[in-house]
Amino acid sequence: MTTDQETSMSVTETGATIWLTGLPSAGKTTIAYELAGRLRGEGHRVEVLDGDEIREFLSAGLGFSREDRHTNVQRIGFVAELLAANGVKVLVPVIAPYADSRDAVRKRHQSEGTAYLEVHVATPVEVCSERDVKGLYAKQAAGEISGLTGVDDPYEAPESPDLRIESHRQTVQESAAELYALLSERGAA
């Protein structure tokens, strides 16, 4: 092992969970990947726990009832806390529509002494519907699906998030920079 390797291995990375909540097509995942690239470029250990990938691999079989959504959020929160407790910056772009589910994840982090930041990507439903990245709003309007968060299923916006990003008023890079500034301020970047 070289001296450089020894030095880098002895440095303890501060982990944190950064939960990006918001409506479908709000820009959560796009912002998360933009920030992840910047953090990785600086040498941070970073993981993105994308809601769609988690549903496919970790929460397969769960539906979209309130109970199933809560279970999904708790599973993601558990994995995020484990990673963050081990020095990883964990970006979690997941809708997590219910305040009590998000609060339970925050409390788990607090009880373990793990940094947790809640970021509300506060994009109006009209803008999300225009973006319609996955075609969900069109399917809902056509009656092909129901239970779309923010349209015919509830979304409880955070009352006091650590940061509120209005992604419809700025570029992805500006949104990621705003989040990076918060991480720096909190000693997590």
Side-chain angles (χ1 to χ4, degrees):
M1 186 181 304
T2 68
T3 306
D4 287 341
Q5 288 173 324
E6 289 171 0
T7 303
S8 68
M9 291 180 79
S10 65
V11 174
T12 303
E13 176 86 16
T14 302
T17 295
I18 302 96
W19 197 290
L20 294 93
T21 180
L23 297 174
S25 297
K28 302 175 299 296
T29 302
T30 305
I31 294 167
Y33 278 108
E34 179 71 23
L35 180 59
R38 180 173 181 178
L39 291 170
R40 284 187 185 115
E42 294 178 356
H44 294 280
R45 295 169 53 208
V46 180
E47 287 295 334
V48 177
L49 299 181
D50 180 278
D52 293 334
E53 292 175 1
I54 295 292
R55 275 235 173 235
E56 182 178 349
F57 297 106
L58 186 63
S59 294
L62 289 180
F64 291 91
S65 68
R66 184 180 179 103
E67 182 179 323
D68 282 356
R69 288 177 191 250
H70 179 77
T71 299
N72 184 48
V73 168
Q74 297 316 296
R75 287 178 181 176
I76 297 167
F78 176 78
V79 172
E81 195 282 323
L82 284 177
L83 290 168
N86 286 284
V88 178
K89 308 280 190 274
V90 187
L91 302 170
V92 186
V94 173
I95 295 168
Y98 302 110
D100 61 343
S101 295
R102 295 189 307 267
D103 289 344
V105 171
R106 179 186 293 275
K107 286 177 184 164
R108 173 177 180 74
H109 279 72
Q110 288 171 339
S111 72
E112 298 296 327
T114 307
Y116 178 88
L117 298 171
E118 183 178 69
V119 178
H120 180 206
V121 182
T123 308
V125 69
E126 301 79 21
V127 174
C128 294
S129 178
E130 288 172 18
R131 290 178 180 170
D132 204 8
V133 177
K134 299 170 196 157
L136 297 175
Y137 292 92
K139 287 179 182 176
Q140 192 277 336
E144 296 172 25
I145 62 169
S146 63
L148 181 59
T149 302
V151 178
D152 61 351
D153 210 52
Y155 176 74
E156 300 170 356
E159 291 182 16
S160 54
D162 295 285
L163 178 64
R164 191 175 316 279
I165 294 176
E166 295 187 354
S167 71
H168 58 294
R169 299 188 191 276
Q170 57 194 20
T171 67
V172 171
Q173 293 76 19
E174 289 168 335
S175 295
E178 194 175 352
L179 183 46
Y180 182 87
L182 175 65
L183 292 177
S184 295
E185 175 187 307
R186 302 279 176 95

PDB file of all heavy atoms in Angstrom, residues 2-25:
ATOM      1  N   THR A   2       0.586   2.186  -0.870  1.00  0.00           N
ATOM      2  CA  THR A   2       1.387   3.409  -0.937  1.00  0.00           C
ATOM      3  C   THR A   2       0.963   4.392   0.128  1.00  0.00           C
ATOM      4  O   THR A   2      -0.109   4.269   0.721  1.00  0.00           O
ATOM      5  CB  THR A   2       1.246   4.083  -2.321  1.00  0.00           C
ATOM      6  OG1 THR A   2      -0.093   4.560  -2.434  1.00  0.00           O
ATOM      7  CG2 THR A   2       1.576   3.134  -3.457  1.00  0.00           C
ATOM      8  N   THR A   3       1.789   5.390   0.337  1.00  0.00           N
ATOM      9  CA  THR A   3       1.476   6.413   1.332  1.00  0.00           C
ATOM     10  C   THR A   3       0.187   7.133   0.986  1.00  0.00           C
ATOM     11  O   THR A   3      -0.635   7.410   1.862  1.00  0.00           O
ATOM     12  CB  THR A   3       2.640   7.423   1.444  1.00  0.00           C
ATOM     13  OG1 THR A   3       3.833   6.683   1.707  1.00  0.00           O
ATOM     14  CG2 THR A   3       2.399   8.407   2.557  1.00  0.00           C
ATOM     15  N   ASP A   4      -0.030   7.442  -0.295  1.00  0.00           N
ATOM     16  CA  ASP A   4      -1.265   8.119  -0.705  1.00  0.00           C
ATOM     17  C   ASP A   4      -2.488   7.266  -0.376  1.00  0.00           C
ATOM     18  O   ASP A   4      -3.500   7.774   0.087  1.00  0.00           O
ATOM     19  CB  ASP A   4      -1.254   8.442  -2.204  1.00  0.00           C
ATOM     20  CG  ASP A   4      -0.309   9.581  -2.546  1.00  0.00           C
ATOM     21  OD1 ASP A   4       0.047  10.342  -1.620  1.00  0.00           O
ATOM     22  OD2 ASP A   4       0.056   9.698  -3.726  1.00  0.00           O
ATOM     23  N   GLN A   5      -2.391   5.961  -0.620  1.00  0.00           N
ATOM     24  CA  GLN A   5      -3.512   5.078  -0.306  1.00  0.00           C
ATOM     25  C   GLN A   5      -3.754   5.024   1.192  1.00  0.00           C
ATOM     26  O   GLN A   5      -4.882   5.048   1.651  1.00  0.00           O
ATOM     27  CB  GLN A   5      -3.260   3.663  -0.844  1.00  0.00           C
ATOM     28  CG  GLN A   5      -3.369   3.568  -2.352  1.00  0.00           C
ATOM     29  CD  GLN A   5      -2.959   2.203  -2.844  1.00  0.00           C
ATOM     30  OE1 GLN A   5      -2.049   1.589  -2.293  1.00  0.00           O
ATOM     31  NE2 GLN A   5      -3.617   1.736  -3.897  1.00  0.00           N
ATOM     32  N   GLU A   6      -2.682   4.945   1.961  1.00  0.00           N
ATOM     33  CA  GLU A   6      -2.822   4.917   3.414  1.00  0.00           C
ATOM     34  C   GLU A   6      -3.505   6.181   3.914  1.00  0.00           C
ATOM     35  O   GLU A   6      -4.385   6.132   4.749  1.00  0.00           O
ATOM     36  CB  GLU A   6      -1.456   4.779   4.083  1.00  0.00           C
ATOM     37  CG  GLU A   6      -0.845   3.411   3.904  1.00  0.00           C
ATOM     38  CD  GLU A   6       0.595   3.362   4.383  1.00  0.00           C
ATOM     39  OE1 GLU A   6       1.117   4.397   4.857  1.00  0.00           O
ATOM     40  OE2 GLU A   6       1.205   2.291   4.274  1.00  0.00           O
ATOM     41  N   THR A   7      -3.093   7.330   3.377  1.00  0.00           N
ATOM     42  CA  THR A   7      -3.670   8.602   3.785  1.00  0.00           C
ATOM     43  C   THR A   7      -5.141   8.663   3.443  1.00  0.00           C
ATOM     44  O   THR A   7      -5.973   9.022   4.269  1.00  0.00           O
ATOM     45  CB  THR A   7      -2.933   9.786   3.118  1.00  0.00           C
ATOM     46  OG1 THR A   7      -1.555   9.690   3.457  1.00  0.00           O
ATOM     47  CG2 THR A   7      -3.489  11.106   3.577  1.00  0.00           C
ATOM     48  N   SER A   8      -5.498   8.291   2.201  1.00  0.00           N
ATOM     49  CA  SER A   8      -6.896   8.389   1.803  1.00  0.00           C
ATOM     50  C   SER A   8      -7.772   7.405   2.574  1.00  0.00           C
ATOM     51  O   SER A   8      -8.920   7.679   2.849  1.00  0.00           O
ATOM     52  CB  SER A   8      -7.059   8.184   0.294  1.00  0.00           C
ATOM     53  OG  SER A   8      -6.753   6.857  -0.050  1.00  0.00           O
ATOM     54  N   MET A   9      -7.230   6.263   2.953  1.00  0.00           N
ATOM     55  CA  MET A   9      -8.019   5.286   3.685  1.00  0.00           C
ATOM     56  C   MET A   9      -8.204   5.680   5.146  1.00  0.00           C
ATOM     57  O   MET A   9      -9.157   5.264   5.780  1.00  0.00           O
ATOM     58  CB  MET A   9      -7.386   3.906   3.585  1.00  0.00           C
ATOM     59  CG  MET A   9      -7.472   3.325   2.182  1.00  0.00           C
ATOM     60  SD  MET A   9      -6.716   1.721   2.088  1.00  0.00           S
ATOM     61  CE  MET A   9      -8.011   0.729   2.802  1.00  0.00           C
ATOM     62  N   SER A  10      -7.326   6.491   5.678  1.00  0.00           N
ATOM     63  CA  SER A  10      -7.460   6.873   7.075  1.00  0.00           C
ATOM     64  C   SER A  10      -8.383   8.073   7.264  1.00  0.00           C
ATOM     65  O   SER A  10      -8.789   8.367   8.368  1.00  0.00           O
ATOM     66  CB  SER A  10      -6.083   7.178   7.671  1.00  0.00           C
ATOM     67  OG  SER A  10      -5.528   8.311   7.047  1.00  0.00           O
ATOM     68  N   VAL A  11      -8.726   8.748   6.190  1.00  0.00           N
ATOM     69  CA  VAL A  11      -9.626   9.891   6.274  1.00  0.00           C
ATOM     70  C   VAL A  11     -11.061   9.379   6.400  1.00  0.00           C
ATOM     71  O   VAL A  11     -11.492   8.526   5.634  1.00  0.00           O
ATOM     72  CB  VAL A  11      -9.495  10.794   5.015  1.00  0.00           C
ATOM     73  CG1 VAL A  11     -10.525  11.892   5.031  1.00  0.00           C
ATOM     74  CG2 VAL A  11      -8.100  11.362   4.921  1.00  0.00           C
ATOM     75  N   THR A  12     -11.779   9.873   7.377  1.00  0.00           N
ATOM     76  CA  THR A  12     -13.159   9.456   7.569  1.00  0.00           C
ATOM     77  C   THR A  12     -14.083  10.394   6.811  1.00  0.00           C
ATOM     78  O   THR A  12     -14.048  11.597   7.011  1.00  0.00           O
ATOM     79  CB  THR A  12     -13.528   9.476   9.063  1.00  0.00           C
ATOM     80  OG1 THR A  12     -12.616   8.634   9.760  1.00  0.00           O
ATOM     81  CG2 THR A  12     -14.929   8.979   9.277  1.00  0.00           C
ATOM     82  N   GLU A  13     -14.862   9.832   5.946  1.00  0.00           N
ATOM     83  CA  GLU A  13     -15.834  10.590   5.164  1.00  0.00           C
ATOM     84  C   GLU A  13     -17.096  10.783   5.997  1.00  0.00           C
ATOM     85  O   GLU A  13     -17.569   9.846   6.641  1.00  0.00           O
ATOM     86  CB  GLU A  13     -16.163   9.814   3.887  1.00  0.00           C
ATOM     87  CG  GLU A  13     -17.222  10.426   3.026  1.00  0.00           C
ATOM     88  CD  GLU A  13     -16.702  11.465   2.053  1.00  0.00           C
ATOM     89  OE1 GLU A  13     -15.496  11.515   1.820  1.00  0.00           O
ATOM     90  OE2 GLU A  13     -17.533  12.216   1.514  1.00  0.00           O
ATOM     91  N   THR A  14     -17.632  11.989   5.984  1.00  0.00           N
ATOM     92  CA  THR A  14     -18.889  12.263   6.669  1.00  0.00           C
ATOM     93  C   THR A  14     -20.034  11.936   5.741  1.00  0.00           C
ATOM     94  O   THR A  14     -20.151  12.514   4.668  1.00  0.00           O
ATOM     95  CB  THR A  14     -18.971  13.744   7.094  1.00  0.00           C
ATOM     96  OG1 THR A  14     -17.858  14.029   7.936  1.00  0.00           O
ATOM     97  CG2 THR A  14     -20.255  14.020   7.833  1.00  0.00           C
ATOM     98  N   GLY A  15     -20.854  11.004   6.155  1.00  0.00           N
ATOM     99  CA  GLY A  15     -22.001  10.619   5.350  1.00  0.00           C
ATOM    100  C   GLY A  15     -23.225  11.453   5.697  1.00  0.00           C
ATOM    101  O   GLY A  15     -23.266  12.124   6.732  1.00  0.00           O
ATOM    102  N   ALA A  16     -24.201  11.407   4.824  1.00  0.00           N
ATOM    103  CA  ALA A  16     -25.462  12.113   5.038  1.00  0.00           C
ATOM    104  C   ALA A  16     -26.487  11.573   4.059  1.00  0.00           C
ATOM    105  O   ALA A  16     -26.145  11.140   2.962  1.00  0.00           O
ATOM    106  CB  ALA A  16     -25.293  13.614   4.813  1.00  0.00           C
ATOM    107  N   THR A  17     -27.734  11.604   4.486  1.00  0.00           N
ATOM    108  CA  THR A  17     -28.837  11.295   3.581  1.00  0.00           C
ATOM    109  C   THR A  17     -29.475  12.605   3.175  1.00  0.00           C
ATOM    110  O   THR A  17     -29.815  13.426   4.019  1.00  0.00           O
ATOM    111  CB  THR A  17     -29.884  10.390   4.262  1.00  0.00           C
ATOM    112  OG1 THR A  17     -29.280   9.116   4.541  1.00  0.00           O
ATOM    113  CG2 THR A  17     -31.103  10.186   3.376  1.00  0.00           C
ATOM    114  N   ILE A  18     -29.616  12.790   1.870  1.00  0.00           N
ATOM    115  CA  ILE A  18     -30.266  13.974   1.317  1.00  0.00           C
ATOM    116  C   ILE A  18     -31.503  13.472   0.580  1.00  0.00           C
ATOM    117  O   ILE A  18     -31.400  12.877  -0.494  1.00  0.00           O
ATOM    118  CB  ILE A  18     -29.329  14.756   0.368  1.00  0.00           C
ATOM    119  CG1 ILE A  18     -28.048  15.188   1.110  1.00  0.00           C
ATOM    120  CG2 ILE A  18     -30.044  15.957  -0.197  1.00  0.00           C
ATOM    121  CD1 ILE A  18     -26.889  14.264   0.925  1.00  0.00           C
ATOM    122  N   TRP A  19     -32.665  13.679   1.190  1.00  0.00           N
ATOM    123  CA  TRP A  19     -33.923  13.162   0.640  1.00  0.00           C
ATOM    124  C   TRP A  19     -34.581  14.266  -0.176  1.00  0.00           C
ATOM    125  O   TRP A  19     -34.932  15.309   0.349  1.00  0.00           O
ATOM    126  CB  TRP A  19     -34.845  12.736   1.774  1.00  0.00           C
ATOM    127  CG  TRP A  19     -35.954  11.852   1.306  1.00  0.00           C
ATOM    128  CD1 TRP A  19     -37.026  12.205   0.538  1.00  0.00           C
ATOM    129  CD2 TRP A  19     -36.093  10.463   1.575  1.00  0.00           C
ATOM    130  NE1 TRP A  19     -37.826  11.122   0.304  1.00  0.00           N
ATOM    131  CE2 TRP A  19     -37.272  10.033   0.941  1.00  0.00           C
ATOM    132  CE3 TRP A  19     -35.340   9.539   2.292  1.00  0.00           C
ATOM    133  CZ2 TRP A  19     -37.714   8.718   0.997  1.00  0.00           C
ATOM    134  CZ3 TRP A  19     -35.781   8.230   2.349  1.00  0.00           C
ATOM    135  CH2 TRP A  19     -36.955   7.827   1.705  1.00  0.00           C
ATOM    136  N   LEU A  20     -34.755  14.025  -1.468  1.00  0.00           N
ATOM    137  CA  LEU A  20     -35.413  14.976  -2.356  1.00  0.00           C
ATOM    138  C   LEU A  20     -36.834  14.497  -2.599  1.00  0.00           C
ATOM    139  O   LEU A  20     -37.056  13.475  -3.246  1.00  0.00           O
ATOM    140  CB  LEU A  20     -34.673  15.094  -3.688  1.00  0.00           C
ATOM    141  CG  LEU A  20     -33.274  15.701  -3.605  1.00  0.00           C
ATOM    142  CD1 LEU A  20     -32.223  14.623  -3.447  1.00  0.00           C
ATOM    143  CD2 LEU A  20     -32.984  16.534  -4.834  1.00  0.00           C
ATOM    144  N   THR A  21     -37.801  15.207  -2.051  1.00  0.00           N
ATOM    145  CA  THR A  21     -39.203  14.852  -2.199  1.00  0.00           C
ATOM    146  C   THR A  21     -39.895  15.870  -3.108  1.00  0.00           C
ATOM    147  O   THR A  21     -39.498  17.027  -3.156  1.00  0.00           O
ATOM    148  CB  THR A  21     -39.913  14.766  -0.827  1.00  0.00           C
ATOM    149  OG1 THR A  21     -41.286  14.425  -1.041  1.00  0.00           O
ATOM    150  CG2 THR A  21     -39.825  16.060  -0.054  1.00  0.00           C
ATOM    151  N   GLY A  22     -40.902  15.427  -3.802  1.00  0.00           N
ATOM    152  CA  GLY A  22     -41.663  16.297  -4.694  1.00  0.00           C
ATOM    153  C   GLY A  22     -42.531  15.453  -5.604  1.00  0.00           C
ATOM    154  O   GLY A  22     -42.467  14.220  -5.575  1.00  0.00           O
ATOM    155  N   LEU A  23     -43.324  16.117  -6.393  1.00  0.00           N
ATOM    156  CA  LEU A  23     -44.249  15.429  -7.296  1.00  0.00           C
ATOM    157  C   LEU A  23     -43.509  14.677  -8.408  1.00  0.00           C
ATOM    158  O   LEU A  23     -42.342  14.963  -8.681  1.00  0.00           O
ATOM    159  CB  LEU A  23     -45.194  16.456  -7.932  1.00  0.00           C
ATOM    160  CG  LEU A  23     -46.120  17.214  -6.980  1.00  0.00           C
ATOM    161  CD1 LEU A  23     -46.877  18.299  -7.740  1.00  0.00           C
ATOM    162  CD2 LEU A  23     -47.084  16.258  -6.284  1.00  0.00           C
ATOM    163  N   PRO A  24     -44.194  13.737  -9.071  1.00  0.00           N
ATOM    164  CA  PRO A  24     -43.596  13.101 -10.249  1.00  0.00           C
ATOM    165  C   PRO A  24     -43.234  14.171 -11.295  1.00  0.00           C
ATOM    166  O   PRO A  24     -44.004  15.105 -11.515  1.00  0.00           O
ATOM    167  CB  PRO A  24     -44.711  12.188 -10.773  1.00  0.00           C
ATOM    168  CG  PRO A  24     -45.615  11.949  -9.604  1.00  0.00           C
ATOM    169  CD  PRO A  24     -45.541  13.204  -8.783  1.00  0.00           C
ATOM    170  N   SER A  25     -42.070  14.051 -11.878  1.00  0.00           N
ATOM    171  CA  SER A  25     -41.552  14.982 -12.900  1.00  0.00           C
ATOM    172  C   SER A  25     -41.180  16.346 -12.338  1.00  0.00           C
ATOM    173  O   SER A  25     -41.040  17.310 -13.087  1.00  0.00           O
ATOM    174  CB  SER A  25     -42.531  15.150 -14.075  1.00  0.00           C
ATOM    175  OG  SER A  25     -42.720  13.921 -14.741  1.00  0.00           O
TER     176      SER A  25
END
